[in-house]
Amino acid sequence: MADHQETLDLRSYAALGDSFTEGLDDPGPDGVFAGWADRLAGLLAERRPDGDFRYANLAVRGRLLDQIVAEQVPQVRRTGPDLVTFCAGGNDILRPGSDPDEVAERFEAAVLELREAAGTVLICTGFDTRGVPVLKHLRGRIATYNGHLRAIADRNGCAVADLWSLRAVHDRRAWSDDRLHLSPEGHQRVALLAARALGIPVEQDPDAPWPARHVPSPAELRRENIQWARSYLLPWVGRRLRGESSGDHVEAKRPELLPL
């Protein structure tokens, strides 16, 4: 693994990926989605009292791995940031008939490019979907992909934010109403996890227990699941059948390395 102590002096950071890294369902004060990558950038900027820190977020919702490689990786080669976070392939794995072995091969090819252009590369494993409706059936495929990602990180000296092991996201409050994207608190937990993976000390524990809450009854859960299916699952399936993406006509929110 790479020596992550050097990341304490990071001056620039580019985030690559899809809706997870774009920050969906974590609205910022300006109305633009923030998300874990923006929150991580804030933590890194705080460590530079001279204010010399630049950040780009190239992620766009709905993007597949090949689209991320074609659209976002060249930006990293052009700008050469000190840190890149590269979280991709999740949308590929969700597609029927996808092969996690083949997706991982393309992911590693992109990592090789990024390692040539950036000082440090951090990748994220996929979440454990055992408690998520519909997605729980993909748990084995996600686990296989995660095994590849860890091997890729070992071979190429990448840091790893291990989302599979993050128990805090097993709580419903870590997720927004669509159950596909993190809530603001969920994004904060991931930002803390990523900081730790880089060797950045943080005061809060990303896996700190949640406050006690009301536990829904089986009847309440059924009603919630029906409402979720109507509001989110069926439209999502419809877009898949029509070949549409939530990211159609969406551009990166922060395409250049600019002061934070």
Side-chain angles (χ1 to χ4, degrees), residues 55-82:
Y55 169 56
N57 190 316
L58 306 170
V60 176
R61 67 197 72 174
R63 290 299 193 261
L64 297 169
L65 175 58
D66 286 349
Q67 293 173 312
I68 293 169
V69 172
E71 299 168 6
Q72 300 174 28
V73 170
Q75 294 284 76
V76 172
R77 297 186 69 90
R78 179 175 63 83
T79 58
D82 294 334

Side-chain angles (χ1 to χ4, degrees), residues 41-57:
L43 292 172
L44 296 173
E46 288 175 0
R47 303 189 64 82
R48 298 205 59 83
D50 60 0
D52 182 17
F53 185 81
R54 294 174 300 141
Y55 169 56
N57 190 316

Side-chain angles (χ1 to χ4, degrees), residues 13 20 26 34-44 85 122 124 127 161 163 166 169 182-198 200-202 204-206:
Y13 163 35
F20 168 63
D26 180 19
W36 70 269
D38 286 22
R39 291 168 179 264
L40 174 62
L43 292 172
L44 296 173
T85 56
L122 178 143
C124 300
F127 293 104
L163 303 178
L166 188 62
V169 296
L182 293 169
S183 66
E185 178 61 22
H187 277 288
Q188 177 66 11
R189 302 285 185 124
V190 172
L192 294 171
L193 181 73
R196 281 192 171 182
L198 292 168
I200 306 296
V202 291
Q204 298 169 287
D205 180 2

Side-chain angles (χ1 to χ4, degrees), residues 208-249:
W210 291 80
R213 68 179 178 99
H214 166 70
V215 178
S217 68
E220 289 173 323
L221 284 174
R222 282 194 296 272
R223 285 195 295 272
E224 287 180 7
N225 287 339
I226 290 171
Q227 182 60 40
W228 168 75
R230 289 173 176 168
S231 300
Y232 300 103
L233 177 61
L234 292 178
W236 182 74
V237 172
R239 287 196 301 272
R240 288 291 183 275
L241 293 175
R242 293 190 298 272
E244 298 174 356
S245 168
S246 58
D248 290 345
H249 314 299

Side-chain angles (χ1 to χ4, degrees), residues 3-260:
D3 179 6
H4 299 134
Q5 294 305 311
E6 67 189 53
T7 63
L8 297 177
D9 193 37
L10 293 171
R11 296 174 183 268
S12 55
Y13 163 35
L16 280 60
D18 50 33
S19 60
F20 168 63
T21 301
E22 184 185 347
L24 257 63
D25 295 349
D26 180 19
D30 57 358
V32 177
F33 288 125
W36 70 269
D38 286 22
R39 291 168 179 264
L40 174 62
L43 292 172
L44 296 173
E46 288 175 0
R47 303 189 64 82
R48 298 205 59 83
D50 60 0
D52 182 17
F53 185 81
R54 294 174 300 141
Y55 169 56
N57 190 316
L58 306 170
V60 176
R61 67 197 72 174
R63 290 299 193 261
L64 297 169
L65 175 58
D66 286 349
Q67 293 173 312
I68 293 169
V69 172
E71 299 168 6
Q72 300 174 28
V73 170
Q75 294 284 76
V76 172
R77 297 186 69 90
R78 179 175 63 83
T79 58
D82 294 334
L83 169 67
V84 167
T85 56
F86 181 49
C87 305
N91 288 325
D92 298 72
I93 297 299
L94 293 180
R95 299 216 161 191
S98 67
D99 179 356
D101 300 340
E102 188 272 334
V103 176
E105 288 183 7
R106 290 186 280 123
F107 185 95
E108 183 162 22
V111 165
L112 291 172
E113 284 194 65
L114 294 172
R115 287 291 289 142
E116 292 179 357
T120 297
V121 176
L122 178 143
I123 66 176
C124 300
T125 64
F127 293 104
D128 185 349
T129 58
R130 63 184 173 186
V132 184
V134 181
L135 297 185
K136 63 184 178 182
H137 303 293
L138 301 176
R139 191 179 184 221
R141 193 185 300 173
I142 296 169
T144 300
Y145 188 53
N146 282 351
H148 282 300
L149 293 179
R150 284 200 157 278
I152 290 168
D154 287 344
R155 286 193 292 267
N156 296 283
C158 301
V160 180
D162 187 8
L163 303 178
W164 183 276
S165 70
L166 188 62
R167 293 167 296 180
V169 296
H170 296 164
D171 190 290
R172 177 69 184 82
R173 288 168 286 184
W175 299 90
S176 66
D177 289 342
D178 70 2
R179 305 185 186 180
L180 290 173
H181 300 103
L182 293 169
S183 66
E185 178 61 22
H187 277 288
Q188 177 66 11
R189 302 285 185 124
V190 172
L192 294 171
L193 181 73
R196 281 192 171 182
L198 292 168
I200 306 296
V202 291
E203 295 182 3
Q204 298 169 287
D205 180 2
D207 247 339
W210 291 80
R213 68 179 178 99
H214 166 70
V215 178
S217 68
E220 289 173 323
L221 284 174
R222 282 194 296 272
R223 285 195 295 272
E224 287 180 7
N225 287 339
I226 290 171
Q227 182 60 40
W228 168 75
R230 289 173 176 168
S231 300
Y232 300 103
L233 177 61
L234 292 178
W236 182 74
V237 172
R239 287 196 301 272
R240 288 291 183 275
L241 293 175
R242 293 190 298 272
E244 298 174 356
S245 168
S246 58
D248 290 345
H249 314 299
V250 176
E251 297 181 355
K253 64 181 181 181
R254 195 179 176 91
E256 297 292 337
L257 283 174
L258 296 173
L260 188 65

